[in-house]
Amino acid sequence: MIHTYHSFSPLIFSLCLLKAIIQAHSQLLPGSCNFESDTCGYTSDADFTSWTLHKDGRFVNDEMRILVSPTLDQGEWSCLRLIYQIIGSGNLEVLQRTEGKSFDRPLWSGQVPSDSWVISSMDLPNSTEPYKVVIEGKPGQIPESSVVIFEIHVTPGYCLDCDFEESHLCGYSNQWNANVNWFVGGGGTQLFHNIPNDDTYNNKTGHLMYVDSVYTKTFKEVAKLVSPMTTVPLSGCLSFQYQRSKERGNMFSVFTRDRLGQYQELWRSASMFLPLQVVFEVAFNSPSGGRVAVDDISFSPQFCKPTFDLSIADCDFESGLCHYTQDQATGSSWKRVSVKPNIFRNGDHTTGAGSFLLAHSQPSPHSGYVSRLISPTLPGNMKYCLRFYFSLRGDALEVYLQPQQRSSSQEKIWTQGENTKEIWIASDITFQTSQPVLFVSNCRSVWDCGSVALDDISVSQGDCSLAPALPGHCDFEAGLCGYNQDKQGDDADWERRRGPTPTSYTGPRGDHTMGLGYYLHMEASAMLPGKSVRLLSRPLRASSGPQCLHFYYHMYGSGTGQLKVHLSKEGEDMLLWQRSGEQSVSWLRAKVEYQCDSQHKIGFEATRGLSVRSDIAIDDISLEAGPCQSNDSLSEHTSRILL
């Protein structure tokens, strides 16, 4: 819905958006620096080459270097704006480092070269723990490449907040159009006869953003004012003031735009994409279309809709059905089971030895014996990512949106009817609804009935394709994630593979992450007995508290050798965890809790057994701060090591 007003007075418009607490502040917080007189407490990481501070007040880097801020103890939400330049080629990354965590949390990265300085904005969420900002710069291979940092600004509030009084305009940018564009107005100067002379608070020296139709050449000329891309999930209400002249030849709209370029109009819907940009768009039909001005964009901590805990829609079925229910009207027969893995049936997906849901279909006079599993109701007008794991034998699995009234038709959003060859397959579905999700198992035909297995259902907000990467996690879908083959301490390399291994009766049928994705594996047939492959993490920082290493391993085959996890410190290896011999036909989960007071690496070493049926595989490695959470009901072992 587009609002047209016949007056030219300031108006306030509120929109539902992502989590936000914004106040208009101009003061700089600790962590800010222009590097003109000193480094403001920023230091080079002692484990890497130092940055070079030039006399003109800028940090320059011509090889891989890491710059670390002083400790910041800012409980409220703040915004970091980095003014930088990449010359030739290179990469610049900003991370957040919290004491006691070996991995830094990525905030932003960029690698696009430019002929002048560029501004990038990133949110620093409110935190009860002190932290440091880490800036990693790495020039590329092009001669004379360098990465330059000019200034760092840290201000209270969210990066989307802006009153347009600063020269950097809070990172907002005009998406260039040859004829109509957003400009800075106000400031006590009358630029054109039909442009407002002051900002929306009647501040004679204040500034605002405006767009005018005077240079419109074609039908529906469009001008777009684009915010910086948000770097964290947000929810709350977006507010801004705007002025709109009485001419009717313009349309003023506000959208969000995600990283895939998809738009969502906020004035008709409060649905969000994560991460997103806010786009203020004005379209003119003629040179007499008037003008539109925008100012004082801000957020309120008050939510437009009640908050909702999405975790109630997550379930791994280890302790029951969680908040899921069965449709008793159809005689639904999903059953929670735990099976001992064998060559005909995998264990559950969560641990390899836990529980999952299983539905057996039977012939019936109807279209097939149907089992229905119903999720909790999700709040409406939101975009969700649904992930689950399934395994089919003869049956079909379908996913619907359950209507509020039984008389209404169900909307099918996903279906699968192909046998999965006894492996767990991951599926991601992006949808938007206020209805429960319905999992339906049925026979593909009266002659073709079997079973459906279901496990590890999770729901998150936003588009599945935009799921953020977790620090310290590697599923090997896009490579080795910073892990490296140990060329000096092993006899061969781990192989990145998808699907089954070449040798029968050994190795996994598919990866743990997706079922159809990648994992790392040691191919025994290409090695001699007793030979090893070894994978090393990048250097990890010391930690004052416990760390928990999670990973999945697969050791199946009559000649299976040994899998070890080492901690490498100061040239010495210390054993953290090991398994020998055949373990299971399924992927099993391992947890290793350790504490180390100096820089170290984690190494995965697989040793070939006596026969070619000795393949070993690993997948889904993650490292988290804090102790490992044990579950005694699962047949997994948690090792605890203090070093």
Side-chain angles (χ1 to χ4, degrees):
M1 180 173 63
I2 302 299
H3 299 270
T4 303
Y5 298 93
H6 298 286
S7 64
F8 197 60
S9 59
L11 298 163
I12 298 179
F13 188 81
S14 293
L15 302 172
C16 287
L17 200 61
L18 304 168
K19 178 176 181 181
I21 303 174
I22 279 289
Q23 300 174 356
H25 292 285
S26 58
Q27 70 267 28
L28 296 179
L29 296 176
S32 303
C33 196
N34 60 14
F35 304 110
E36 292 183 357
S37 58
D38 56 34
T39 64
C40 312
Y42 280 82
T43 58
S44 293
D45 192 309
D47 295 322
F48 296 86
T49 307
S50 298
W51 286 71
T52 302
L53 180 60
H54 279 206
K55 61 182 180 181
D56 58 354
R58 57 181 179 142
F59 262 120
V60 179
N61 160 348
D62 53 13
E63 59 181 276
M64 176 61 178
R65 296 175 183 180
I66 298 179
L67 189 67
V68 182
S69 76
T71 299
L72 306 180
D73 191 4
Q74 295 160 185
E76 297 300 321
W77 203 287
S78 57
C79 175
L80 185 151
R81 293 189 174 92
L82 178 68
I83 302 175
Y84 71 96
Q85 183 180 5
I86 296 176
I87 302 171
S89 65
N91 182 76
L92 184 62
E93 187 172 11
V94 181
L95 308 99
Q96 189 176 30
R97 175 175 295 179
T98 303
E99 182 65 28
K101 296 182 179 180
S102 295
F103 280 89
D104 302 326
R105 186 175 73 86
L107 295 176
W108 170 90
S109 64
Q111 56 185 14
V112 178
S114 65
D115 295 328
S116 61
W117 60 264
V118 179
I119 183 171
S120 183
S121 305
M122 58 214 74
D123 287 290
L124 300 175
N126 49 324
S127 174
T128 57
E129 299 179 284
Y131 61 88
K132 296 181 178 181
V133 172
V134 178
I135 302 175
E136 295 186 1
K138 185 177 182 180
Q141 301 300 316
I142 297 177
E144 300 184 355
S145 292
S146 63
V147 179
V148 184
I149 298 175
F150 294 94
E151 292 187 40
I152 299 173
H153 290 182
V154 182
T155 56
Y158 275 53
C159 293
L160 290 180
D161 180 56
C162 195
D163 59 10
F164 301 107
E165 298 305 323
E166 302 292 336
S167 59
H168 52 62
L169 302 180
C170 316
Y172 279 75
S173 60
N174 171 69
Q175 186 169 310
W176 183 255
N177 180 306
N179 299 319
V180 293
N181 291 279
W182 287 90
F183 295 97
V184 179
T189 302
Q190 188 75 33
L191 301 178
F192 299 101
H193 72 280
N194 58 349
I195 298 304
N197 193 36
D198 51 28
D199 76 356
T200 51
Y201 284 126
N202 295 315
N203 180 352
K204 297 300 182 181
T205 61
H207 294 86
L208 48 76
M209 299 299 295
Y210 73 89
V211 60
D212 193 277
S213 65
V214 65
Y215 295 112
T216 300
K217 301 295 184 184
T218 62
F219 181 75
K220 203 170 184 179
E221 294 269 17
V222 176
K224 295 181 180 180
L225 178 67
V226 183
S227 77
M229 178 73 71
T230 63
T231 55
V232 292
L234 309 171
S235 56
C237 285
L238 170 71
S239 298
F240 60 92
Q241 298 199 25
Y242 72 96
Q243 294 180 337
R244 190 175 180 188
S245 60
K246 63 182 179 180
E247 289 86 353
R248 295 181 177 272
N250 64 70
M251 292 190 300
F252 181 31
S253 306
V254 182
F255 298 85
T256 60
R257 182 172 66 188
D258 65 24
R259 285 179 175 171
L260 300 179
Q262 297 175 315
Y263 283 81
Q264 184 77 35
E265 188 171 11
L266 286 180
W267 282 16
R268 297 188 218 180
S269 169
S271 303
M272 292 297 108
F273 297 99
L274 301 176
L276 57 82
Q277 292 174 306
V278 176
V279 181
F280 295 86
E281 180 179 287
V282 176
F284 295 110
N285 292 333
S286 69
S288 60
R291 69 272 186 192
V292 175
V294 172
D295 200 5
D296 300 320
I297 303 168
S298 64
F299 286 87
S300 165
Q302 302 298 318
F303 291 93
C304 300
K305 292 183 179 292
T307 58
F308 182 80
D309 182 8
L310 288 178
S311 66
I312 70 168
D314 297 347
C315 194
D316 60 10
F317 305 107
E318 300 303 332
S319 302
L321 297 185
C322 307
H323 295 276
Y324 285 78
T325 58
Q326 302 212 51
D327 187 353
Q328 301 300 331
T330 62
S332 186
S333 64
W334 287 96
K335 294 182 179 179
R336 181 171 160 265
V337 300
S338 180
V339 301
K340 185 175 182 179
N342 54 64
I343 61 173
F344 303 107
R345 168 65 69 185
N346 273 335
D348 79 317
H349 178 265
T350 315
T351 68
S355 300
F356 59 95
L357 286 194
L358 185 66
H360 286 288
S361 297
Q362 303 171 1
S364 79
H366 306 291
S367 60
Y369 188 87
V370 177
S371 295
R372 301 174 187 267
L373 183 72
I374 306 171
S375 78
T377 300
L378 302 171
N381 222 8
M382 305 285 281
K383 178 163 281 194
Y384 298 105
C385 174
L386 169 69
R387 166 169 279 202
F388 58 92
Y389 291 83
F390 67 94
S391 181
L392 303 182
R393 182 189 291 176
D395 272 18
L397 177 63
E398 299 166 339
V399 180
Y400 294 85
L401 299 181
Q402 172 86 328
Q404 299 293 339
Q405 300 179 349
R406 286 190 173 272
S407 58
S408 303
S409 60
Q410 300 170 343
E411 179 186 354
K412 183 187 292 187
I413 58 176
W414 180 91
T415 185
Q416 177 62 257
E418 296 295 326
N419 286 342
T420 62
K421 300 180 181 179
E422 303 302 333
I423 61 175
W424 287 105
I425 305 291
S427 182
D428 293 333
I429 307 172
T430 300
F431 66 95
Q432 185 172 330
T433 185
S434 59
Q435 305 158 273
V437 175
L438 185 65
F439 293 88
V440 178
S441 162
N442 57 35
C443 295
R444 288 182 291 179
S445 72
V446 72
W447 308 106
D448 192 6
C449 288
S451 63
V452 174
L454 188 64
D455 203 4
D456 292 339
I457 303 173
S458 62
V459 176
S460 59
Q461 188 177 344
D463 196 298
C464 293
S465 61
L466 301 173
L470 299 175
H473 177 76
C474 188
D475 57 14
F476 305 109
E477 297 304 316
L480 298 185
C481 318
Y483 285 84
N484 296 293
Q485 308 277 3
D486 186 352
K487 299 297 185 181
Q488 297 180 347
D490 62 6
D491 304 293
D493 287 339
W494 287 89
E495 296 181 12
R496 182 168 165 266
R497 174 180 291 277
R498 65 192 307 178
T501 58
T503 309
S504 301
Y505 302 105
T506 187
R509 300 185 181 100
D511 77 316
H512 176 266
T513 315
M514 306 292 292
L516 303 175
Y518 289 89
Y519 58 92
L520 285 195
H521 120 280
M522 178 197 71
E523 177 51 51
S525 61
M527 300 172 61
L528 295 175
K531 297 299 183 180
S532 300
V533 296
R534 183 162 167 158
L535 186 75
L536 291 176
S537 72
R538 61 178 176 83
L540 305 177
R541 296 193 316 278
S543 61
S544 58
Q547 306 287 307
C548 186
L549 172 69
H550 301 250
F551 64 94
Y552 285 83
Y553 64 98
H554 196 285
M555 300 175 69
Y556 168 62
S558 58
T560 301
Q562 193 172 65
L563 177 63
K564 295 180 180 180
V565 178
H566 294 281
L567 184 145
S568 297
K569 174 176 127 176
E570 299 174 351
E572 296 184 1
D573 288 343
M574 285 150 282
L575 182 65
L576 296 181
W577 177 98
Q578 71 174 352
R579 292 290 181 272
S580 299
E582 184 178 73
Q583 300 293 311
S584 174
V585 72
S586 289
W587 285 98
L588 299 177
R589 181 171 66 184
K591 297 180 181 180
V592 182
E593 182 179 311
Y594 75 93
Q595 187 170 328
C596 186
D597 59 2
S598 60
Q599 189 181 83
H600 59 280
K601 294 181 179 181
I602 298 295
F604 293 83
E605 182 179 8
T607 303
R608 188 218 199 251
L610 295 177
S611 78
V612 294
R613 293 190 178 128
S614 182
D615 293 346
I616 295 175
I618 56 175
D619 201 4
D620 292 335
I621 303 171
S622 63
L623 186 63
E624 300 174 358
C628 295
Q629 302 299 317
S630 298
N631 188 336
D632 295 335
S633 65
L634 304 179
S635 58
E636 61 180 13
H637 302 281
T638 301
S639 301
R640 290 179 169 85
I641 310 291
L642 179 62
L643 300 171

